[in-house]
Amino acid sequence: NDDLWASQFFETSLEMDHSEFSCEPIRLRMCQDLPYNTTFMPNLLNHYDQQTAALAMEPFHPMVNLVCSADLRMFLCALYAPVCTNYGRMSMPCQSLCQRAKDECHKLMEIFGVAWPDDMECSRFPDCDEPYPRQEDLQTSSEPTDDSSMTVQRDYGFWCPRELKVDPDLGYTFMGRKDCSAPCPSMFFNQQELTFTRYFIGVVSIVCLSATLFTFLTFLIDVTRFRYPERPIIFYAVCYVMVSLVFFLGFLLEDRIACNAVSPAQFRASTITQGSHNKACTLFFMVLYFFTMAGSVWWVILTITWFLAAVPKWGSEAIEKKALLFHAVAWGLPGALTVTLLALNKIEGDGISGVCFIGLYDIDTLRWFVLAPLCLNVAVGVSLLLVGIVALNRVRMEIPLEKENQTKLVKFMIRMGVFSVLYLVPLLTVIGCYMYEHTYRSIWETTWMEENCRRYHIPCPYKVEQTGRPLMVLFLIKYLMMLVVGIPSVFWVGSKKTCFEWASFLHGRRRKDGVNESRQVLQEQPDFAQSLLREPNTPIIRKSRGTSTQGTSTHASSTHLAVVDDLDEPVRTHQGHPASTRSKASSVHSKASYHGSLRRSRDDRSDTMAYRGTEERSFHGSMPRLDHPLSTHSSLHQIDDHSRHSSQRDVSEAPPTLITHGTTASDSRVAENDGTSA
């Protein structure tokens, strides 16, 4: 009978508009044939319509049917369907009526396993002994009385529908109401729009995953190629490998992670997952949020390394010494934020993408844990980037560089600028989408309430002034830019050199190359302070271009080459002594004969070592006297005597590789002629 009554009630219930107070006919079967026939909602127990009140009264039907107390039926109707007056005057039952019903029915309630509700505790009602309804409650008047205690012509706010209620111990919150959750998969879009969005996110996540994974694998092929200042690009790519992987898994799993299952037995619909009770959703959130924030921090660190290389002119080794600090900041800060959000239980499922994140329904969390960190990273990164670009452009404009280095420096600045633009444009777009959601979220929720209040049987919004729905394209752009922001890493490694490395790797051989071009350009530029303080005729000492991929310092090699230039000056100033030219050429051939002797056969190894010792003693013995102008020629003559005898034995070997610094064209020609005669 109870089930039949409930079904009849659902079929005959009227969809009432609760925007303003109005009396409505009593539809509750238990409360028929009372001294009054109209009631108002919400009732004294905050049931927002008669359908909800009828469901709450179901446990008391056996006691009412068995008439355990003559006062129970009237007491229940006074609470669930109170008498309605013209001006909304609320009349509450007396405490004595409650106490008689409770005392007479508590034994029968124990048999049926029904407990007396806390919100029906008798101490909450007025201490009086009058029947219900009172005589004045049934009187009508054209004017309001002074004792009108409550006017309900107001906005009731959001009432959580029964279908969206969850267990109290889960700690859910939706639109300011506890133990309530948003409908899943989406409260704004229909199923067709959701299907298109999910496939769109799936395709973009595959593209981003492929691009970032390619960047990371290129680094693994030759780990010495990408060192500081460009090493953070690799860690940045790794972060977005994980981000795109999470979105791809969300596409495959649809809403199985982000949504709670439907529970028809408890009249509950599918709702959005919140908190950390869902382990899979928690794992998705931790990976997605941690690596999203870490990728943003690694971009800031990339701008810091560029700044250190361009402005203070730190070398690769000096920057690499700070690597531990970089890693501590890049992984530590996102980790601290992630742990904080787990402790605050702020995780929310995203029914659109199938992942779990934060700030989807909680605006305050979006403001402080998403928008604030991203905006701070953009401000710091852009500032350092602009300072670095200005410094490099000043070097290019004010300091004379070789044409090749000028081209490389311009190319490096263009690459740095393009990479930064490809990162900043998507990131700023994502921030703009978040701010748009932050601004219009309340309007979207009010519109959703107005459109669904009758379906959920909840109070409709009162005096709605502005309505609006989110655009589907806005969410498409947000998800696109969240993934596209990781793709610029592939443009940094995309070059012919990368193609050659992959070809060599696929054919089973490794290829050792020279210095990375961007790092070489930063190391080859002359010291800006030195160029400003130098004399007009003093040559600029540039760093050696022979920097190894291991990032060894070039300061010692540059100083040595400058010393050799100074040693050549006395030889060139004494033009009246032809022996100086001959001795220099002989010295060159002395080096040639030394290198040639190293290629001798194994049988002549003992002769080679004996000659090598003689030559080294002759050469190094003359070095302490090179600083005196008068002793320079005699020392070079001694070297010339030894080198002539040795070159006659070794000139039959292949011509050696000659590395000189600061020699003139005439010196080279003399060396060639002397070698031919030998």
Side-chain angles (χ1 to χ4, degrees):
N1 293 335
D2 295 339
D3 295 337
L4 177 62
W5 171 85
S7 62
Q8 291 176 350
F9 174 80
F10 289 133
E11 293 175 358
T12 59
S13 61
L14 298 177
E15 296 179 347
M16 303 299 296
D17 188 348
H18 298 281
S19 296
E20 296 182 358
F21 168 79
S22 61
C23 293
E24 56 186 76
I26 296 177
R27 301 292 174 179
L28 299 177
R29 182 181 178 184
M30 184 186 297
C31 298
Q32 299 296 320
D33 301 326
L34 293 177
Y36 61 95
N37 58 5
T38 60
T39 185
F40 65 90
M41 292 289 159
N43 58 23
L44 300 182
L45 299 179
N46 286 331
H47 298 125
Y48 36 82
D49 63 2
Q50 293 192 50
Q51 177 184 358
T52 308
L55 294 174
M57 292 179 71
E58 286 182 5
F60 294 97
H61 274 271
M63 277 68 72
V64 173
N65 292 336
L66 294 176
V67 194
C68 63
S69 173
D71 297 320
L72 179 61
R73 176 170 172 264
M74 180 56 69
F75 174 71
L76 293 175
C77 291
L79 298 180
Y80 289 93
V83 61
C84 181
T85 63
N86 289 343
Y87 294 96
R89 185 166 56 86
M90 182 177 61
S91 177
M92 299 182 66
C94 290
Q95 189 176 121
S96 59
L97 181 66
C98 170
Q99 196 64 47
R100 287 195 300 269
K102 181 179 180 181
D103 293 342
E104 295 173 356
C105 294
H106 77 278
K107 293 183 179 180
L108 188 60
M109 293 177 64
E110 290 178 357
I111 294 175
F112 284 95
V114 179
W116 193 265
D118 293 337
D119 52 4
M120 291 172 53
E121 192 61 39
C122 296
S123 60
R124 300 179 57 184
F125 303 110
D127 187 7
C128 60
D129 190 8
E130 298 178 0
Y132 188 88
R134 300 175 181 85
Q135 189 63 32
E136 59 267 21
D137 296 336
L138 302 177
Q139 294 177 356
T140 59
S141 173
S142 58
E143 296 294 333
T145 59
D146 295 337
D147 56 350
S148 296
S149 60
M150 180 179 179
T151 301
V152 294
Q153 188 175 349
R154 58 185 175 84
D155 186 6
Y156 295 109
F158 174 68
W159 291 58
C160 184
R162 182 181 185 183
E163 295 84 348
L164 303 182
K165 283 186 174 294
V166 296
D167 296 334
D169 57 342
L170 295 178
Y172 282 23
T173 303
F174 175 54
M175 293 177 63
R177 297 293 179 179
K178 295 181 178 180
D179 307 328
C180 189
S181 185
C184 194
S186 176
M187 58 187 292
F188 300 127
F189 306 113
N190 56 41
Q191 190 60 42
Q192 183 178 0
E193 293 173 330
L194 290 175
T195 302
F196 174 78
T197 304
R198 285 173 179 167
Y199 277 97
F200 177 81
I201 295 173
V203 172
V204 177
S205 63
I206 292 174
V207 174
C208 181
L209 180 62
S210 303
T212 52
L213 194 60
F214 173 79
T215 302
F216 180 60
L217 293 178
T218 302
F219 165 73
L220 293 181
I221 291 176
D222 185 7
V223 295
T224 61
R225 176 182 172 188
F226 299 100
R227 303 196 65 204
Y228 290 96
E230 63 266 17
R231 176 65 67 85
I233 296 177
I234 305 302
F235 303 116
Y236 162 83
V238 171
C239 292
Y240 280 94
V241 167
M242 303 304 298
V243 169
S244 55
L245 180 61
V246 170
F247 274 105
F248 180 68
L249 293 177
F251 162 71
L252 296 179
L253 297 173
E254 295 181 343
D255 57 3
R256 288 191 284 273
I257 300 296
C259 299
N260 296 317
V262 180
S263 179
Q266 299 179 350
F267 302 99
R268 292 179 180 176
S270 179
T271 55
I272 291 293
T273 298
Q274 295 184 31
S276 56
H277 69 93
N278 188 328
K279 305 306 178 185
C281 182
T282 302
L283 180 61
F284 271 39
F285 155 74
M286 292 174 62
V287 175
L288 182 58
Y289 181 80
F290 175 80
F291 283 103
T292 299
M293 293 295 111
S296 179
V297 175
W298 273 117
W299 180 78
V300 175
I301 293 177
L302 178 64
T303 61
I304 293 175
T305 58
W306 278 341
F307 173 83
L308 294 176
V311 180
K313 297 182 178 61
W314 283 25
S316 177
E317 308 85 353
I319 300 177
E320 193 167 1
K321 289 180 180 178
K322 305 296 182 181
L324 184 60
L325 177 61
F326 294 154
H327 282 277
V329 173
W331 306 121
L333 292 180
L337 292 175
T338 304
V339 172
T340 302
L341 290 169
L342 287 174
L344 295 176
N345 212 29
K346 294 296 185 179
I347 305 172
E348 297 172 345
D350 185 1
I352 298 177
S353 63
V355 302
C356 293
F357 202 62
I358 61 168
L360 302 172
Y361 300 95
D362 190 342
I363 300 300
D364 292 333
T365 305
L366 174 66
R367 182 188 303 121
W368 296 111
F369 288 92
V370 178
L371 287 177
L374 291 180
C375 292
L376 179 62
N377 290 342
V378 168
V380 175
V382 170
S383 301
L384 294 174
L385 182 67
L386 293 178
V387 172
I389 291 178
V390 169
L392 290 180
N393 187 63
R394 189 176 181 185
V395 168
R396 183 181 66 86
M397 298 296 294
E398 298 185 6
I399 300 179
L401 295 175
E402 299 175 4
K403 184 176 181 180
E404 180 183 1
N405 287 345
Q406 282 275 7
T407 304
K408 289 182 179 180
L409 184 59
V410 172
K411 182 180 178 181
F412 172 70
M413 293 173 62
I414 293 175
R415 289 181 67 195
M416 186 168 61
V418 170
F419 176 82
S420 301
V421 169
L422 291 177
Y423 172 82
L424 286 173
V425 170
L427 181 61
L428 292 176
T429 304
V430 171
I431 294 176
C433 292
Y434 279 134
M435 288 184 174
Y436 185 78
E437 287 188 51
H438 180 275
T439 303
Y440 292 96
R441 168 69 69 172
S442 59
I443 297 176
W444 299 343
E445 292 174 345
T446 302
T447 304
W448 175 82
M449 285 177 56
E450 187 177 40
E451 294 175 351
N452 295 275
C453 61
R454 293 173 177 83
R455 180 168 70 92
Y456 284 122
H457 301 282
I458 60 176
C460 294
Y462 179 66
K463 293 183 179 180
V464 178
E465 298 179 356
Q466 184 179 2
T467 60
R469 294 176 57 86
L471 298 176
M472 188 75 235
V473 65
L474 173 70
F475 284 80
L476 291 177
I477 293 175
K478 183 183 75 171
Y479 291 117
L480 173 65
M481 295 304 171
M482 287 180 67
L483 291 166
V484 166
V485 73
I487 296 180
S489 61
V490 77
F491 290 99
W492 189 268
V493 303
S495 62
K496 292 181 179 180
K497 185 175 183 179
T498 300
C499 297
F500 293 150
E501 284 187 350
W502 274 97
S504 300
F505 174 77
L506 295 177
H507 286 83
R509 60 180 183 273
R510 296 293 298 273
R511 181 172 167 271
K512 295 183 179 180
D513 296 299
V515 186
N516 181 275
E517 182 177 294
S518 60
R519 189 166 67 254
Q520 178 181 344
V521 169
L522 292 174
Q523 292 178 351
E524 282 180 348
Q525 54 179 321
D527 191 353
F528 183 69
Q530 178 190 12
S531 64
L532 296 179
L533 299 175
R534 68 183 178 88
E535 296 296 331
N537 297 326
T538 304
I540 298 175
I541 300 176
R542 295 181 174 86
K543 295 184 179 181
S544 171
R545 294 182 57 192
T547 309
S548 65
T549 56
Q550 284 74 22
T552 56
S553 176
T554 59
H555 177 73
S557 60
S558 301
T559 307
H560 174 69
L561 294 179
V563 171
V564 174
D565 287 340
D566 295 337
L567 294 179
D568 290 342
E569 286 300 324
V571 179
R572 287 193 293 269
T573 54
H574 294 274
Q575 299 296 332
H577 298 81
S580 62
T581 305
R582 288 179 55 239
S583 64
K584 184 173 183 179
S586 300
S587 175
V588 172
H589 280 285
S590 173
K591 297 178 183 178
S593 63
Y594 165 66
H595 290 291
S597 64
L598 294 180
R599 302 189 188 94
R600 286 171 179 259
S601 62
R602 185 174 301 176
D603 297 335
D604 298 334
R605 182 173 299 175
S606 59
D607 296 336
T608 304
M609 297 303 294
Y611 166 73
R612 180 180 178 184
T614 304
E615 183 188 15
E616 289 178 352
R617 286 193 302 270
S618 174
F619 179 74
H620 292 291
S622 62
M623 287 301 292
R625 295 188 298 272
L626 286 178
D627 56 349
H628 197 282
L630 299 178
S631 63
T632 302
H633 298 291
S634 61
S635 301
L636 293 177
H637 278 300
Q638 293 177 8
I639 296 174
D640 180 57
D641 294 337
H642 286 286
S643 61
R644 282 190 178 278
H645 293 291
S646 60
S647 60
Q648 290 177 359
R649 292 182 296 171
D650 301 330
V651 75
S652 58
E653 302 295 335
T657 304
L658 193 59
I659 303 176
T660 61
H661 183 82
T663 57
T664 60
S666 61
D667 294 335
S668 301
R669 287 193 297 269
V670 171
E672 293 176 0
N673 296 334
D674 202 8
T676 305
S677 63

